[in-house]
Amino acid sequence: MPTAPQNTDELYQALQENQRRPYGRTRTVTAEELVDAAERFEEPVALVRTLLELQEAYAYGSEPRKSPVVFARLLTLFDEQPDVFDERLRHLLFWRFKWVAGALRALPEMPLASLRQWLKEMKDRYEKAGLGLQPCYGQVYQLASHTGEDTAVAYELWAGRTRTALSDCEACEICERALYHLAAGDDERALRAWEPVLAGQESCQEEPARSLSYALLPLLRTGDADRARELHLSGYRGCRRNASMAGEVGRHLEFCALTGNEARGLELLAENRNLFDEVDSPLDLFDFLTGVDVLLRRVESLGHGELPAAGYAGRSWTVSGLGAEVRGRADDLAARFDARNGTTALTDRRKARLDRAPLLDGLELTLRTRTLDEVDPAAPVAAPATRKSADLPEELPALILRARELDEEGHPDAQLCWARLRRLVAARGYTHPDDPAVGPLVRLRADLLEDEAGRAGDRDDFAEAADLYEEAAGLYEDGGAPGDAALARACAALATAEIPKERNGDGDGDAGDEAADALTAAHAAMVRLHEETPGLVPYQEARLLRLRATALGLRLQASVSDEHVAATFAEVELLHAYAERHDIGGQVSGAALLRAGTHAISGDLATAGTELDALVVRLREHGPAWHLPRALGLRGRINLGRQDAQAAYADLAEGVRLAGEWMAMAAENGRLYGDLAQACMHLGRPDEALRHLTRSAEVDLRRGSRTDAFCTFSNAARLSLDLGRIEDCIALLDSLLTDPGVAAGELDDRLVAQLRLTRARALHAGEDLKAATAEFVALAAESARWEDDPGSHAMIAAETAVLLGESGEFDRAREVMDQALAAHAQAPRYEQLSNSLRELARLQAEQEGSDGLASALDHLARAGRIAEEARAAAFEAEGRTLETALAYEHGRVNAYAGEYETALAALEKALGLLGEPDADQDRAGEWAECTRLAGAVEGIYLGRIAPALIRLDAAVSRLNALGHTEEAKPLASLAARLHDQA
């Protein structure tokens, strides 16, 4: 605490503030300080309340050793000063006998006789106080279940008794009954018992998170994998990083291990690394470590024991190393508990979990499903079984020559050769072949640098690519290869021209003009290199011509200027003629791709399509096969431009399939997946589009284009939220936001903020108001520092204010809305601010009634000023006008506050502004809702049934005549209700 409370009022205020904090070390330390403060006041009630808060902090902060000590003090106070305990405090005291029983059970050093003595003490106290004994028998059963002795008898003694006010909540008792059936091997009966909790009908502090974690495997065993997936996503979110739910986290890790989601399991383990050191409950730690052990054994059995794993702080771990450590600790805990209990129950349960075989080979748990190979940087990329692969020689000289041969052809397998050669050259003791055909080592090093530069360009790191190409050119010259040096310098010139240009504040055209000028200069440099380099062989000359044509094509794309079209076509024709003359098939098709692309950029999509039709036929018949995915991809994009989504889908789907047959074509695959997602959206298949978006992002991430990948993931997250796949959205964003690169600040902070904003909206949509509000408040504070983007701050702050209003924190909501309005003054966001102000007014009137009317009307007055500003700026809102929406909200707000005459007048005004309904469904829906509310105010609250019925009957007839029968139903229902009252 910043300062100690000076009186009991301050103490109680500090107590309330602490109770709003999440469980954890901060809340626990503050609770300890509040107990110290209460002892100084010599006020017994204050001490009792602070001790109860401290025990709760220990109980839910996973510190079972300390909970009984605090309770002993409370029990002493109760024995000495029973009058201090009013009915509520007395209830809490007797309730927490159960907490102490649970805490003692969790400590293997606590003798079994002491546990039984405590249960006897609890029963004696309950009998003396005249309380029902069902809670006592519940604790007897839980001890029996823990030790594995006399479980059936203890269960019947508890489950057959009538519940009392001190019984565990319905959700917790349902979980205990289900676990009893589960232990008996009856999955279906357990799931039937669990259904009220799994369906969200019963909940508490620990539920449904606890039940969800236990129900996952029974659901799989009974064939309901889809529901298991759904409950894993929602259940894991309820227990992640929570020390008091470490066992639940362990069961989610086990679920991942048994469903082919080992990579996700390692990701979740990293997210919960804190639990290794923060869990003070030996029983919870045992459950957690056993789940970790199941996961790590599975990963190791799949040959990935050397993968890094998140474990105990202070050192780095591999899967194998952490597995051995976890195994020893979990075995020790099981042995200690069994020694205390005089049974083998925990060892047996641990063995049963470790011996389980995977239940499914692969269950797609999240939108970002990855394999262990994909998260292992050292793992070779597995090729599809149908992959068209050139045979790679084993002998070093032959491998070098084969790499160069494939590179000359533009064959994708050249990258595989270079990758193998890079490992060989980097190995200690490498000896370069003494072979004139291979050439000196310096030339091979140049080849490898050139390949590395190409991969840097693929991930749009053009500055690095340019530097690497220049370095390669120097080595080629040293190695006596002037033609290769010229090619590398031409590539460097193109990469330099492609480095993104900074925009200035004068307009969007400047960056395009600057890029066009840079590409013009690059083209001129290539022409000079072409003219000045003697002894070029045909493949080198063709490649230079290809680079020249590419530079002019990119210039046309950057400038979109007709003056550059003819020069581009001329350069493409030079390439095509040269390639045909020298029978260089790859460059012939490359020229055809460039020509079709030039037609497309210049707006002639029909000719581009015709060119590509011919090229696809040629490639199918004569090859090269690896150009076919590119041609199909370009034709697919052109078909999208021509509004033929079905044809685009067919081309892009085939392109994805064919590109997947070449391991080295990852860059093309990422683009193809992204375009395929767009085609799916045009075809009304958003769920399929979502899958393709995430695949596109994973490909980009794998090849090092992190920003592109995270932008695509961001789009996927927003789409999943729009589709109502809330848990999918949150799980995807949790995975992204815990990425080590995000924590290290390697990603643009605005992109990270967008991910967090989408997550906050998903949490709100998922009815996790507390978590959503906390994230919005943090984002509003952060965006306030974006001096270059006040508009975004205005929208985020306005949205934050609404969530604070939903939480009933209207003073804070007004403060944040003031910030939004100040930012709006710099960068107007008329519709967003008006919407938020109206919603905030509605919330305050709805929650506070007439007491909140003045403040609500002030919010509406501010919305009115924004509507006036928007009208002056000729701004047009989507849908109804801001004035119409404002009049309707005046009606709702005044109705909530009991000002019915004012409300009716406002609704009449809104109806006048809306006008009569027509064929437009959205407009008809707005008119119907406004009419319904006016009828309710007039007929129900003002008692004017006759005019209200005239209004409603006319509206129903009008809507039905226009075909808006669904919109008419609520009005007809209200009219029927009023007819009954008439």
Side-chain angles (χ1 to χ4, degrees):
M1 292 180 298
T3 57
Q6 301 302 306
N7 52 55
T8 53
D9 288 341
E10 290 184 6
L11 178 74
Y12 290 145
Q13 182 179 351
L15 195 60
Q16 287 181 337
E17 291 173 358
N18 199 43
Q19 288 166 346
R20 287 196 289 267
R21 291 189 176 99
Y23 295 109
R25 197 65 199 139
T26 300
R27 177 166 177 171
T28 300
V29 169
T30 303
E32 290 169 342
E33 292 171 347
L34 289 173
V35 169
D36 292 340
E39 288 175 328
R40 292 196 298 272
F41 296 134
E42 297 183 356
E43 171 59 52
V45 173
L47 180 58
V48 168
R49 289 181 59 181
T50 55
L51 285 170
L52 286 167
E53 162 62 15
L54 180 57
Q55 189 191 15
E56 182 174 339
Y58 286 147
Y60 288 106
S62 190
E63 296 189 64
R65 290 179 173 83
K66 298 179 180 179
S67 174
V69 177
V70 177
F71 189 75
R73 291 189 64 186
L74 283 164
L75 206 53
T76 299
L77 282 168
F78 177 73
D79 290 338
E80 294 174 351
Q81 304 177 66
D83 293 342
V84 168
F85 290 74
D86 60 17
E87 186 175 346
R88 175 180 169 276
L89 295 178
R90 182 176 178 273
H91 179 87
L92 286 174
L93 179 82
F94 279 93
W95 182 277
R96 295 193 181 183
F97 271 92
K98 298 179 294 182
W99 286 15
V100 175
L104 297 177
R105 252 193 334 271
L107 302 174
E109 65 268 27
M110 186 60 59
L112 189 61
S114 298
L115 269 67
R116 288 174 172 151
Q117 180 59 40
W118 176 254
L119 296 181
K120 182 178 183 304
E121 170 81 6
M122 177 181 174
K123 183 181 178 184
D124 291 345
R125 292 268 188 173
Y126 269 55
E127 286 179 330
K128 184 178 179 181
L131 301 170
L133 298 182
Q134 193 260 12
C136 302
Y137 284 104
Q139 292 305 308
V140 171
Y141 164 67
Q142 290 191 37
L143 179 59
S145 175
H146 169 71
T147 62
E149 284 190 324
D150 302 324
T151 307
V153 173
Y155 178 80
E156 292 302 328
L157 285 172
W158 160 64
R161 289 179 179 268
T162 304
R163 286 173 47 79
T164 74
L166 288 167
S167 296
D168 284 344
C169 74
E170 287 279 6
C172 287
E173 290 204 345
I174 285 171
C175 185
E176 290 300 333
R177 286 194 290 272
L179 288 175
Y180 176 76
H181 300 310
L182 189 64
D186 194 340
D187 286 343
E188 291 185 354
R189 188 172 181 185
L191 290 170
R192 286 197 302 273
W194 255 318
E195 186 53 35
V197 176
L198 303 186
Q201 298 165 9
E202 299 289 346
S203 64
C204 68
Q205 178 74 34
E206 298 174 1
E207 295 290 353
R210 182 168 178 250
S211 289
L212 296 184
S213 73
Y214 278 110
L216 297 174
L217 299 187
L219 283 167
L220 289 181
R221 289 193 292 261
T222 55
D224 200 346
D226 287 341
R227 195 174 192 199
R229 173 190 180 277
E230 172 194 336
L231 297 183
H232 163 68
L233 294 179
S234 59
Y236 172 69
R237 183 160 57 85
C239 62
R240 61 200 286 259
R241 296 198 296 265
N242 186 338
S244 69
M245 290 197 153
E248 284 74 6
V249 172
R251 284 184 284 279
H252 282 281
L253 298 179
E254 180 179 358
F255 176 74
C256 291
L258 299 180
T259 56
N261 287 276
E262 298 85 4
R264 173 167 169 81
L266 291 177
E267 183 180 291
L268 300 190
L269 180 61
E271 188 179 4
N272 290 277
R273 185 174 191 168
N274 64 301
L275 299 185
F276 284 105
D277 300 305
E278 292 180 9
V279 179
D280 192 48
S281 165
L283 190 56
D284 289 345
L285 186 60
F286 168 77
D287 265 353
F288 172 65
L289 292 179
T290 299
V292 173
D293 197 4
V294 172
L295 172 66
L296 297 179
R297 285 173 188 251
R298 177 64 180 160
V299 173
E300 192 169 7
S301 73
L302 294 172
H304 292 275
E306 295 309 307
L307 265 178
Y312 294 93
R315 59 163 287 188
S316 58
W317 296 92
T318 64
V319 166
S320 297
L322 181 61
E325 180 72 19
V326 164
R327 202 162 302 129
R329 297 193 186 211
D331 285 343
D332 177 65
L333 284 169
R336 290 173 61 200
F337 275 112
D338 285 346
R340 189 270 304 274
N341 298 335
T343 66
T344 60
L346 269 73
T347 297
D348 294 344
R349 287 169 198 161
R350 172 168 159 74
K351 184 177 185 301
R353 291 175 71 180
L354 294 175
D355 288 347
R356 281 191 186 116
L359 296 172
L360 291 174
D361 291 334
L363 173 63
E364 192 171 301
L365 290 182
T366 70
L367 295 173
R368 196 186 180 193
T369 299
R370 295 181 293 168
T371 66
L372 290 170
D373 284 335
E374 290 172 318
V375 299
D376 187 348
V381 180
T386 59
R387 188 183 157 274
K388 302 175 178 68
S389 174
D391 292 329
L392 302 184
E394 292 297 326
E395 296 297 323
L396 181 59
L399 180 61
I400 295 172
L401 294 175
R402 183 62 173 151
R404 288 172 180 158
E405 178 189 347
L406 293 173
D407 200 58
E408 288 176 15
E409 296 175 13
H411 196 295
D413 276 347
Q415 292 185 31
L416 304 180
C417 293
W418 296 130
R420 184 185 295 179
L421 285 166
R422 184 173 288 105
R423 290 193 295 272
L424 293 172
V425 171
R428 180 177 297 180
Y430 171 77
T431 302
H432 191 67
D434 184 11
D435 186 337
V438 169
L441 176 59
V442 67
R443 184 182 172 192
L444 178 57
R445 293 195 184 280
D447 292 335
L448 296 174
L449 279 173
E450 190 174 39
D451 173 65
E452 190 178 345
R455 288 185 288 111
D458 285 343
R459 61 176 183 267
D460 298 339
D461 192 346
F462 299 114
E464 182 182 355
D467 291 342
L468 290 168
Y469 277 126
E470 285 289 355
E471 188 178 351
L475 293 181
Y476 277 130
E477 288 178 342
D478 294 342
D484 290 329
L487 274 176
R489 288 217 156 84
C491 290
L494 183 59
T496 300
E498 288 188 272
I499 296 172
K501 307 300 182 289
E502 295 290 334
R503 292 177 183 266
N504 61 34
D506 297 331
D508 288 348
D510 295 332
D513 293 343
E514 214 176 314
D517 291 343
L519 288 160
T520 299
H523 178 263
M526 292 174 194
V527 172
R528 285 194 302 274
L529 282 165
H530 196 168
E531 293 171 348
E532 296 170 1
T533 306
L536 291 169
V537 296
Y539 94 87
Q540 292 171 333
E541 195 159 356
R543 190 171 289 184
L544 272 170
L545 287 168
R546 174 78 171 269
L547 288 166
R548 287 166 52 173
T550 300
L552 293 189
L554 289 171
R555 181 180 70 176
L556 177 61
Q557 188 174 4
S559 64
V560 199
S561 172
D562 290 343
E563 67 179 279
H564 296 313
V565 173
T568 306
F569 276 123
E571 199 72 68
V572 170
E573 291 310 319
L574 274 176
L575 168 63
H576 188 268
Y578 186 89
E580 287 235 319
R581 190 162 63 249
H582 291 275
D583 194 23
I584 306 174
Q587 297 296 4
V588 171
S589 60
L593 279 168
L594 285 168
R595 185 163 52 226
T598 303
H599 281 300
I601 294 169
S602 58
D604 189 354
L605 296 183
T607 302
T610 301
E611 293 265 355
L612 284 165
D613 290 343
L615 176 59
V616 167
V617 171
R618 181 184 184 281
L619 290 171
R620 290 192 196 279
E621 293 177 355
H622 305 292
W626 58 89
H627 277 198
L628 188 53
R630 298 169 189 170
L632 289 167
L634 180 55
R635 190 168 72 173
R637 289 192 289 278
I638 287 170
N639 281 326
L640 281 174
R642 299 171 73 180
Q643 308 301 311
D644 189 348
Q646 192 62 58
Y649 179 88
D651 281 340
L652 292 165
E654 185 182 4
V656 163
R657 180 180 62 78
L658 293 174
E661 296 177 352
W662 304 94
M663 287 194 294
M665 294 184 70
E668 285 87 347
N669 234 349
R671 175 71 184 271
L672 287 167
Y673 275 127
D675 293 334
L676 186 55
Q678 188 178 350
C680 289
M681 291 300 292
H682 283 292
L683 292 171
R685 291 147 68 170
D687 287 294
E688 184 180 350
L690 193 55
R691 290 199 303 275
H692 296 316
L693 275 178
T694 55
R695 287 169 183 160
S696 174
E698 287 294 352
V699 170
D700 284 341
L701 196 62
R702 188 74 169 162
R703 68 187 180 96
S705 298
R706 293 179 63 79
T707 298
D708 289 344
F710 274 76
C711 285
T712 304
F713 275 133
S714 179
N715 292 336
R718 289 199 294 273
L719 176 57
S720 63
L721 182 56
D722 291 342
L723 293 173
R725 295 175 60 172
I726 295 167
E727 294 299 340
D728 278 323
C729 177
I730 295 171
L732 172 61
L733 291 166
D734 284 344
S735 173
L736 297 174
L737 291 168
T738 54
D739 185 280
V742 173
E746 296 172 3
L747 210 63
D748 179 74
D749 61 342
R750 303 298 170 84
L751 178 52
V752 174
Q754 179 60 60
L755 296 172
R756 291 170 57 200
L757 180 62
T758 304
R759 182 177 182 275
R761 287 170 175 161
L763 289 168
H764 186 221
E767 300 182 355
D768 192 345
L769 181 59
K770 184 176 180 180
T773 303
E775 186 65 274
F776 263 110
V777 168
L779 281 167
E782 185 175 317
S783 63
R785 299 192 291 273
W786 298 349
E787 295 181 0
D788 61 329
D789 191 8
S792 291
H793 174 56
M795 291 188 290
I796 291 171
E799 214 168 331
T800 304
V802 171
L803 265 70
L804 288 167
E806 286 187 35
S807 303
E809 298 186 58
F810 292 108
D811 290 340
R812 286 184 70 196
R814 180 173 289 275
E815 291 173 7
V816 176
M817 186 59 81
D818 288 343
Q819 296 175 24
L821 289 166
H824 161 80
Q826 300 176 60
R829 296 292 186 271
Y830 302 110
E831 191 162 9
Q832 293 89 343
L833 268 290
S834 175
N835 292 346
S836 296
L837 282 164
R838 297 195 316 270
E839 179 63 6
L840 192 54
R842 183 194 68 79
L843 287 167
Q844 191 151 16
E846 183 180 29
Q847 292 183 32
E848 297 184 348
S850 58
D851 292 340
L853 180 60
S855 183
L857 291 176
D858 183 60
H859 290 312
L860 293 180
R862 289 167 144 188
R865 289 191 287 274
I866 287 176
E868 292 171 3
E869 294 169 11
R871 188 168 54 251
F875 171 82
E876 291 187 11
E878 294 183 14
R880 60 183 175 176
T881 66
L882 298 185
E883 291 84 0
T884 303
L886 184 61
Y888 173 74
E889 211 58 68
H890 267 288
R892 282 210 296 183
V893 164
N894 279 286
Y896 280 130
E899 298 292 333
Y900 300 118
E901 292 288 1
T902 307
L904 184 59
L907 293 168
E908 295 280 11
K909 179 181 177 181
L911 286 167
L913 290 169
L914 277 170
E916 289 296 309
D918 53 24
D920 183 87
Q921 189 170 12
D922 290 339
R923 189 160 173 269
E926 292 169 358
W927 184 85
E929 172 54 24
C930 195
T931 302
R932 186 200 65 78
L933 184 54
V937 169
E938 189 173 32
I940 297 174
Y941 297 105
L942 291 175
R944 303 170 192 166
I945 295 178
L949 284 172
I950 293 171
R951 178 197 302 276
L952 293 168
D953 291 340
V956 169
S957 298
R958 174 77 172 160
L959 290 168
N960 284 331
L962 290 168
H964 300 305
T965 54
E966 287 301 314
E967 287 76 8
K969 285 180 181 178
L971 281 73
S973 176
L974 176 59
R977 177 183 171 187
L978 291 176
H979 275 296
D980 290 342
Q981 294 178 5

